[in-house]
């Protein structure tokens, strides 16, 4: 028995058919795999939005100053998705 929690979702018939076609194409092994990939894609997009917002904030903050190692470490963590 699987220890992975499950979640049920309701889809319109056109969406259900679309998901079934994506799985049938062989690109995804199951509906769950397809949904997990969509969630991971959304997570990546959210991290990219956060990074863009931080970059815009930095550009609007005025003249540049030299980065410290702490600044570099924070940017690396943000880029990896560890922060934000």
């Amino acid at each position: 028995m699987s220890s992975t929690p499950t979640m049920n979702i309701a889809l319109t018939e056109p969406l259900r058919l679309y998901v079934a076609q994506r799985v049938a194409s062989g690109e995804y092994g199951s509906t769950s795999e397809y949904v997990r990939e969509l969630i991971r894609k959304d997570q990546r997009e959210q991290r990219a939005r956060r990074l863009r917002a931080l970059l815009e904030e930095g550009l609007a903050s005025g003249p540049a100053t030299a980065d410290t190692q702490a600044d570099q470490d924070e940017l690396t963590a943000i880029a990896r998705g560890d922060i934000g």
Side-chain angles (χ1 to χ4, degrees), residues 6-82:
T6 61
M7 177 183 287
N8 295 316
I9 60 170
L11 298 175
T12 62
E13 186 62 14
L15 288 177
R16 189 193 68 74
L17 289 172
Y18 179 80
V19 172
Q21 289 171 348
R22 298 293 287 144
V23 173
S25 76
E27 188 173 348
Y28 301 96
S30 67
T31 299
S32 292
E33 184 180 320
Y34 178 71
V35 171
R36 285 191 298 269
E37 180 57 30
L38 290 177
I39 293 168
R40 287 195 278 291
K41 182 178 179 181
D42 183 60
Q43 289 172 328
R44 288 188 301 268
E45 289 173 1
Q46 291 302 314
R47 287 191 299 266
R49 283 184 187 153
R50 173 76 173 134
L51 183 56
R52 281 191 297 275
L54 290 171
L55 289 170
E56 289 173 9
E57 180 183 327
L59 290 171
S61 71
T65 58
D67 286 346
T68 65
Q69 185 59 48
D71 295 329
Q72 290 296 322
D73 293 344
E74 181 181 12
L75 288 173
T76 299
I78 292 168
R80 288 185 179 147
D82 298 337

